Amino acid sequence: MNEIHNFKIPISGTDYEPERMELTMSQAHTIARGRARQHKDREVRLYCFNTMCHRWELCTEYKYNHETRQVDRTDCWRPLKPGEQIR
C-alpha cells in the first residue's frame, strides 16, 4: 500500500498555488491534516490524480473543529465537476 500517487493539497481562501507532489496516500493525508491544523479557519482539500481516467479527483476534505480541537475528515472520492478548479 506504499504506492506513489500524484497529489495537490491547496488551502481554501488563499492565493497559495498547490504544487504537484509525489507521495504515498499516508504521507498526503498527514500533510493535509497538518495544513488544516495550521490554518484553523480554512478548509484543506486533498486531490489525487487518477491515472486510469487521466483526471484529478477530490479525495478528502479536512477542516479544523474548534470545539473538539481536532481535524475533521470527510472522504469524497469524486471527479471534479465541469468548470471546478483545484482550490
Side-chain angles (χ1 to χ4, degrees):
M1 285 302 286
N2 288 334
E3 200 172 316
I4 300 293
H5 300 279
N6 287 297
F7 292 96
K8 288 189 176 186
I9 310 172
I11 301 163
S12 70
T14 65
D15 291 333
Y16 169 75
E17 179 63 34
E19 70 275 7
R20 184 179 187 141
M21 298 180 279
E22 292 184 352
L23 305 165
T24 66
M25 189 66 77
S26 176
Q27 289 171 323
H29 283 285
T30 299
I31 290 170
R33 265 192 313 278
R35 287 185 181 174
R37 190 172 305 283
Q38 182 181 15
H39 301 275
K40 291 180 170 50
D41 295 322
R42 307 276 185 204
E43 185 176 79
V44 176
R45 291 181 166 188
L46 176 61
Y47 294 90
C48 183
F49 189 75
N50 183 328
T51 56
M52 299 288 282
C53 301
H54 301 284
R55 67 180 181 210
W56 285 97
E57 296 182 348
L58 175 60
C59 305
T60 310
E61 294 175 328
Y62 289 93
K63 181 114 175 107
Y64 183 81
N65 184 323
H66 292 275
E67 290 179 20
T68 63
R69 296 184 180 180
Q70 298 294 317
V71 174
D72 293 337
R73 173 182 170 165
T74 304
D75 291 321
C76 304
W77 285 107
R78 65 167 178 79
L80 299 182
K81 296 173 186 168
E84 183 179 7
Q85 305 235 342
I86 294 178
R87 56 167 185 83

